[in-house]
Amino acid sequence: MSDPVNLNKFRKAKAKAEKEQKAKENRAKFGRTKVQKQLDKSRADKLSKITEGHLLKDKSEDDG
């Protein structure tokens, strides 16, 4: 016969491994430095300024 297995320890070890895997995925997905966040924000601001400059006037302003 094989040795008996404590199911509580097995269950807790499995949950811990899943939790560590989830944390690893979240670090890869959401973990960014402050400089990276600022760079993304500045690029988005620059893009919005460029696109706002190319917008046509609204018809409601022309009618008034």
Side-chain angles (χ1 to χ4, degrees):
M1 287 192 129
S2 63
D3 294 329
V5 177
N6 188 339
L7 295 178
N8 285 332
K9 287 185 181 180
F10 178 77
R11 180 178 42 89
K12 287 180 182 181
K14 183 179 175 186
K16 184 177 180 181
E18 289 174 355
K19 186 176 180 181
E20 289 174 358
Q21 180 64 27
K22 179 77 170 172
K24 183 179 177 182
E25 291 171 3
N26 283 341
R27 282 193 298 269
K29 190 174 184 182
F30 298 110
R32 296 188 309 158
T33 64
K34 186 175 184 179
V35 175
Q36 290 171 330
K37 291 176 186 178
Q38 289 175 343
L39 181 62
D40 287 345
K41 185 179 183 318
S42 65
R43 286 179 178 166
D45 290 343
K46 184 177 179 181
L47 181 63
S48 68
K49 287 179 183 178
I50 290 172
T51 55
E52 285 177 9
H54 290 10
L55 291 177
L56 297 176
K57 292 184 179 179
D58 291 340
K59 292 182 180 181
S60 61
E61 292 178 6
D62 294 338
D63 292 339

